[in-house]
Amino acid sequence: MIDPASPPRSLPRILLAEDSETSAAIVARHLQGKFEVLHARDGLDAWNLLAANPEIEVVITDVQMPRLSGQDLLRKIRHSDVPRVKDMAVLVMTTSNDDNARQEAFTNGASDFLVKPVDALELRARVTVHQKLARTIRELETSRQMLQEQATTDPLTRLKNRRAFAELGLRHFALAQRHDIELSIIVLDIDHFKKINDTYGHPAGDQVLMSVAHVLTSKTRASDLPARLGGEEFGILLPNTKRSGAALLADRIRVAIQQSQFQLGEHAITVTASAGVAAYGLDGEESLERLLEVADRRLYLAKQRGRNRVIAMN
Ligand SMILES: [Mg+2]
């Protein structure tokens, strides 16, 4: 029975490279109803169709074909820079007496073999196995990427979280040590954030956090790494940046935050932030932890001296 709630599923797409119309028609007929078959008349045609159709899940190829042979097609696929193409399931069709072709195809990275004339049941069984395997591998890869993304992203602001900041921070710190590259960090904290939450409620507080995150993203370069370290505290990792440059950027961010009016219901409120800056070399060379301590201490000083300011030196 068909579940009316589930969307119609399209058939898995198979690419068939075969110069013989007769043989192609037989294979297509065997797969009819279970798979959608794209037919390429030679290896080059197949290669182009493969590039243009990311939905293709399995390739079935003949060996002898004009312009580009099945063996050459297989080699091109296995040497592709595109993981989807490189890891494609490729089934090679040979005649029963051609052991050399099978050996060569195996060496070239064939996933499986079919003997012509192909048997309908064997063809369907093999294509099904490879198509399901390909789909499972793809799904695993997608969920691995999603888990990775969840583990490193702050769900409210979509910035990197503390964990990702620490991991990437360690990596950049090691690079700075090894190659003597500049590295600065900014630690920034929204002033009187508790008061915003208490006065306007937590949804308003969340809105302020998201806006500040937006300022951080829009004011930094693609190579910089803004992150939410927790609560109302943010960190920015700045590779290839001197302390003076980081201090300037921190101040531009401070001004941008102060200038954005937060519309919370009928209230327009002004938010300010304080920041501390520290740099590899000037403020420590032993560890990232030490740099963070220095930046934190300067942030604390900024708060003590009246907030809405950046401190980059003692
Ligand atoms: Mg042929």
Side-chain angles (χ1 to χ4, degrees), residues 18-20 62 64-65 116:
E18 170 63 276
D19 60 328
S20 151
D62 177 31
Q64 305 283 345
M65 289 184 292
K116 288 201 224 183

Side-chain angles (χ1 to χ4, degrees), residues 15-17 59-63 65 69-70 73 90-94:
L15 175 63
L16 171 64
V59 173
I60 303 171
T61 184
D62 177 31
V63 177
M65 289 184 292
S69 75
L73 172 65
V90 181
L91 279 60
V92 176
M93 290 187 295
T94 59

Side-chain angles (χ1 to χ4, degrees), residues 23-45:
S23 168
I26 293 169
V27 171
R29 196 173 61 236
H30 290 339
L31 296 176
Q32 204 172 22
K34 294 268 182 204
F35 301 94
E36 184 195 341
V37 180
L38 293 184
H39 180 206
R41 280 165 183 82
D42 59 54
L44 200 58
D45 197 9

Side-chain angles (χ1 to χ4, degrees), residues 211-212 214-216 218-219 249-262 270-273 308:
S211 303
V212 168
H214 178 72
V215 170
L216 261 53
S218 58
K219 291 287 168 194
L249 174 66
D251 207 56
R252 275 206 297 276
I253 290 171
R254 181 194 63 78
V255 171
I257 292 172
Q258 187 184 17
Q259 283 173 348
S260 38
Q261 287 272 314
F262 294 94
T270 302
V271 173
T272 61
N308 191 23

